[in-house]
């Protein structure tokens, strides 16, 4: 490689130094005992750039999608890793260098760059016999779930005509239907939103199109029995700024936190809009449910701009230590005409990457699982300051009792997003196992840990040793063996 990756926080350290490794590793070493309930595959994807950035610097979210599959079979675990062979990546491989400029700004790309700018690096989800690699700026790519070979762009046989597709679709546990949406659905900077409900066999059952008040990031969503909830983060898009070589998103502290409540089987005229306090960053959703004419949405909220790489117009970025965050509940009263909602905190500590027992997705529930940060826990100062996405606790939170139980992995451990697997199909809600990647910042090692949710403080019942360092990933899923 002629050029080296820059020695910036986005490309260095145990979390963010690119890995760039495709591999097949069979029968990984396991400490402890793997639960017999774990028979399936844990899929996850990381932004992992194949080449150093064309402009000499870049943000973490602009890396090429590298999918990992941990297969739990025959009392052991094997690992397969493959890049998603996007048009963008293949164009770079032909040229032997990066061809892409600023994140989600095609106006800054090399003329030899692919027209399809997506990296397919945010989520993987198994649906209709394929593994979808998703990023919200384009349609997903389909992969073979066993080999991880890329099959191509996936548009549900031409049924999805939007330009984009969410990285966070939800699967209704009662029907198996995939509920999804697109923002900037008619092209960059457009305020068009499209919502879809898709059968397990891949047939579009319902579709709604409408316009938002402005184009903004809509990263995640939540579902209930009758509704889809879309949180609009006050990171807005301006086409002229893009044409002038600027960032795709810009923080607007004066804008409210905005929510669209969309009837899953209704029409655009029935969409309800709600707003909350300004200068708030809604994180990933934990869950939502309906009760007594009201819709409740639970999501981490931070009081200010988390994404330092998308500053406001004057360049201001709040110091990280000033950003307080915790899990909040938003209650939308669907029987009144009031559109303002004041969220109520559910806990008092920073948390993100929340997951729910997916058998209870969209229903009243009690248990949540998340990454958390406790600044009072020991930290190895000699390994440098904590990285951008630093979480030192794996936490089980009971929303009814407000009790938290966590495991702390030591003074240099950092978790990646967990996934919950029920102990059995009939097990009570929240009774099962958490599977999560753990990075050791001092030794540049990674391992996959398995914890019993009934005794989180006891630590892992099994540790799967990984003979390579795993770059910080974004999201993943669990798929049971058929």
């Amino acid at each position: 490689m002629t050029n080296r990756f820059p020695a910036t926080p986005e490309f260095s350290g145990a979390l963010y130094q690119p890995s760039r490794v495709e591999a097949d590793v069979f029968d990984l070493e396991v400490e402890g005992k793997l639960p017999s309930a774990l028979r399936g595959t844990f899929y996850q994807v990381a932004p992992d750039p194949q080449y150093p950035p064309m402009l000499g610097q870049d943000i973490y979210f602009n890396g090429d999608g590298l999918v990992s599959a941990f297969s739990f079979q025959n009392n052991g675990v094997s690992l397969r890793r493959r890049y998603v062979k996007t048009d963008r990546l293949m164009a770079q491989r032909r040229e032997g260098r990066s061809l892409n400029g600023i994140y989600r700004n095609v106006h800054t790309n090399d003329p030899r760059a692919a027209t399809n700018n997506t990296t397919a690096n945010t989520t993987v989800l198994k649906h209709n016999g394929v593994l979808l690699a998703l990023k919200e700026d384009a349609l997903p790519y389909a992969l073979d779930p066993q080999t991880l070979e890329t099959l191509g762009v996936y548009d549900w046989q031409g049924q999805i005509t939007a330009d984009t597709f969410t990285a966070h679709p939800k699967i209704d546990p009662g029907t198996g239907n995939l509920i999804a949406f697109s923002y900037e659905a008619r092209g960059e900077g457009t305020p068009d939103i499209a919502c879809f409900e898709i059968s397990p066999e891949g047939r579009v059952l319902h579709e709604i199109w409408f316009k938002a008040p402005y184009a903004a990031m809509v990263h995640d969503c939540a579902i209930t029995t009758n509704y889809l909830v879309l949180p609009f983060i006050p990171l807005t898009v301006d086409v002229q700024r893009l044409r002038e070589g600027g960032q795709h998103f810009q923080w607007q502290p004066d804008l409210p936190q905005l929510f669209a409540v969309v009837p899953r089987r209704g029409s655009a005229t029935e969409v309800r809009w709600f707003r909350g306090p300004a200068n708030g960053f809604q994180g990933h959703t934990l869950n939502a449910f309906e009760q007594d004419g009201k819709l409740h949405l639970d999501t981490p909220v931070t009081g200010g701009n988390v994404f330092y790489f998308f500053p406001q117009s004057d360049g201001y970025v709040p110091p990280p230590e000033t950003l307080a965050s915790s899990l909040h509940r938003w209650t939308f009263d669907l029987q009144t005409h009031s559109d303002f909602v004041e969220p109520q905190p559910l806990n008092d500590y920073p948390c993100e990457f929340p997951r729910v027992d997916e058998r209870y997705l969209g229903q009243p529930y009690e248990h949540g699982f998340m990454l958390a940060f406790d600044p009072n826990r020991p930290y190895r100062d000699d390994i440098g300051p904590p990285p951008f996405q630093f979480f030192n606790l794996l936490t089980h939170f009971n929303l009814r009792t407000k009790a938290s139980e966590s495991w702390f992995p030591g003074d240099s451990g950092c978790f990646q997003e967990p996934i919950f697997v029920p102990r059995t199909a009939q097990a009570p809600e929240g009774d099962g196992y958490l599977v999560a990647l753990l990075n050791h910042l001092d030794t540049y090692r990674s391992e996959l840990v398995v914890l019993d949710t009934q005794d989180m403080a006891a630590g892992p019942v099994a540790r799967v040793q990984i003979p390579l360092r795993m770059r910080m990933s974004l999201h993943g899923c669990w798929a049971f063996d058929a």
Side-chain angles (χ1 to χ4, degrees):
M1 179 179 293
T2 305
N3 297 318
R4 296 177 61 86
F5 285 94
T8 62
E10 291 81 8
F11 293 94
S12 59
L15 281 191
Y16 295 117
Q17 181 180 326
S19 165
R20 305 170 66 241
V21 174
E22 295 185 292
D24 289 293
V25 187
F26 299 98
D27 199 14
L28 298 171
E29 182 182 355
V30 178
E31 297 178 11
K33 184 177 181 180
L34 292 169
S36 59
L38 296 181
R39 294 189 61 83
T41 303
F42 170 47
Y43 296 101
Q44 56 96 249
V45 62
D48 204 328
Q50 178 86 77
Y51 297 98
M54 184 181 74
L55 300 180
Q57 60 181 355
D58 205 350
I59 70 172
Y60 161 70
F61 294 141
N62 213 14
D64 302 295
L66 181 54
V67 176
S68 298
F70 292 89
S71 177
F72 288 70
Q73 291 180 336
N74 303 320
N75 298 315
V77 183
S78 295
L79 169 63
R80 174 163 289 160
R81 283 164 59 84
R82 296 290 187 274
Y83 272 107
V84 184
K85 293 180 179 177
T86 61
D87 294 350
R88 167 176 164 147
L89 176 61
M90 300 313 290
Q92 293 183 100
R93 286 183 174 179
R94 286 191 293 270
E95 296 294 327
R97 63 182 179 88
S98 172
L99 301 171
N100 301 89
I102 293 175
Y103 175 79
R104 287 185 68 172
N105 188 340
V106 297
H107 304 282
T108 65
N109 288 351
D110 187 286
R112 284 163 286 192
T115 303
N116 188 340
N117 199 48
T118 192
T119 53
N121 70 5
T122 308
T123 313
V124 278
L125 180 69
K126 195 173 180 182
H127 169 74
N128 192 26
V130 298
L131 185 69
L132 298 177
L134 301 120
K135 184 174 177 60
E136 62 206 51
D137 60 354
L139 294 176
Y141 275 79
L143 280 64
D144 182 288
Q146 280 74 46
T147 67
L148 299 187
E149 289 305 306
T150 302
L151 304 176
V153 174
Y154 197 76
D155 65 359
W156 285 265
Q157 297 184 329
Q159 295 178 89
I160 302 297
T161 60
D163 286 5
T164 62
F165 198 84
T166 178
H168 283 289
K170 308 298 180 187
I171 294 180
D172 186 319
T175 64
N177 290 348
L178 186 77
I179 296 90
F181 69 95
S182 305
Y183 76 93
E184 296 184 66
R186 297 195 190 278
E188 63 178 23
T190 60
D192 299 275
I193 306 292
C195 302
F196 311 96
E197 185 143 351
I198 305 170
S199 76
E201 298 76 31
R203 182 166 61 92
V204 174
L205 304 173
H206 194 68
E207 183 174 342
I208 303 172
W209 285 75
F210 60 94
K211 289 185 182 295
Y214 43 82
M217 179 186 283
V218 191
H219 180 63
D220 202 352
C221 69
I223 63 167
T224 67
T225 302
N226 297 298
Y227 296 96
L228 167 67
V229 186
L230 303 179
F232 285 68
I233 301 171
L235 284 161
T236 61
V237 189
D238 180 76
V239 173
Q240 186 59 36
R241 183 173 68 243
L242 292 172
R243 291 172 180 166
E244 294 172 356
Q247 293 288 349
H248 192 94
F249 295 109
Q250 185 176 96
W251 183 259
Q252 288 199 216
D254 56 318
L255 286 179
Q257 296 173 80
L258 186 67
F259 300 85
V261 178
V262 184
R264 283 174 52 180
R265 287 163 289 278
S267 65
T269 59
E270 298 173 279
V271 175
R272 288 283 305 273
W273 293 94
F274 293 88
R275 58 189 176 88
N279 200 38
F281 191 107
Q282 315 99 320
H284 297 98
T285 63
L286 173 58
N287 201 11
F289 61 95
E290 299 168 48
Q291 198 169 60
D292 301 325
K294 297 178 180 179
L295 190 156
H296 305 281
L297 168 68
D298 298 335
T299 178
V301 177
T302 302
N305 182 15
V306 176
F307 289 167
Y308 64 88
F309 33 80
F310 300 135
Q312 57 195 53
S313 59
D314 61 3
Y316 176 75
V317 175
E321 63 273 13
T322 67
L323 296 174
S325 67
S326 62
L327 186 68
H328 283 65
R329 172 163 292 176
W330 303 80
T331 298
F332 308 110
D333 191 336
L334 304 178
Q335 298 177 327
T336 71
H337 296 293
S338 173
D339 68 351
F340 184 79
V341 179
E342 185 75 47
Q344 300 301 312
L346 297 176
N347 62 13
D348 59 359
Y349 50 81
C351 57
E352 246 298 349
F353 292 96
R355 300 300 298 239
V356 69
D357 182 336
E358 292 182 355
R359 298 172 300 168
Y360 290 79
L361 196 68
Q363 304 298 323
Y365 73 114
E366 185 174 335
H367 300 274
F369 307 94
M370 60 199 72
L371 303 185
F373 172 60
D374 183 353
N376 297 315
R377 299 278 185 159
Y379 178 76
R380 287 270 301 276
D381 291 332
D382 61 310
I383 59 177
F388 168 55
Q389 294 168 291
F390 181 71
F391 300 98
N392 59 6
L393 293 177
L394 194 57
T395 297
H396 177 188
F397 179 60
N398 187 303
L399 285 91
R400 179 180 57 83
T401 66
K402 303 298 188 292
S404 294
E405 186 181 22
S406 301
W407 177 56
F408 173 64
D411 58 10
S412 65
C414 178
F415 289 106
Q416 301 192 30
E417 181 193 55
I419 193 75
F420 171 80
V421 184
R423 195 178 306 273
T424 66
Q426 294 76 35
E429 182 201 349
D431 180 14
Y433 301 95
L434 279 193
V435 180
L437 283 168
L438 173 63
N439 286 74
H440 297 279
L441 306 185
D442 56 343
T443 59
Y444 281 58
R445 291 189 306 107
S446 303
E447 58 181 340
L448 193 68
V449 295
V450 180
L451 282 80
D452 191 320
T453 61
Q454 300 303 302
D455 191 2
M456 294 282 294
V461 297
R463 294 174 179 257
V464 181
Q465 302 303 313
I466 305 171
L468 55 92
R469 181 186 50 81
M470 304 287 288
R471 196 175 199 240
M472 185 69 173
S473 64
L474 289 174
H475 304 287
C477 71
W478 174 267
F480 281 105
D481 287 343

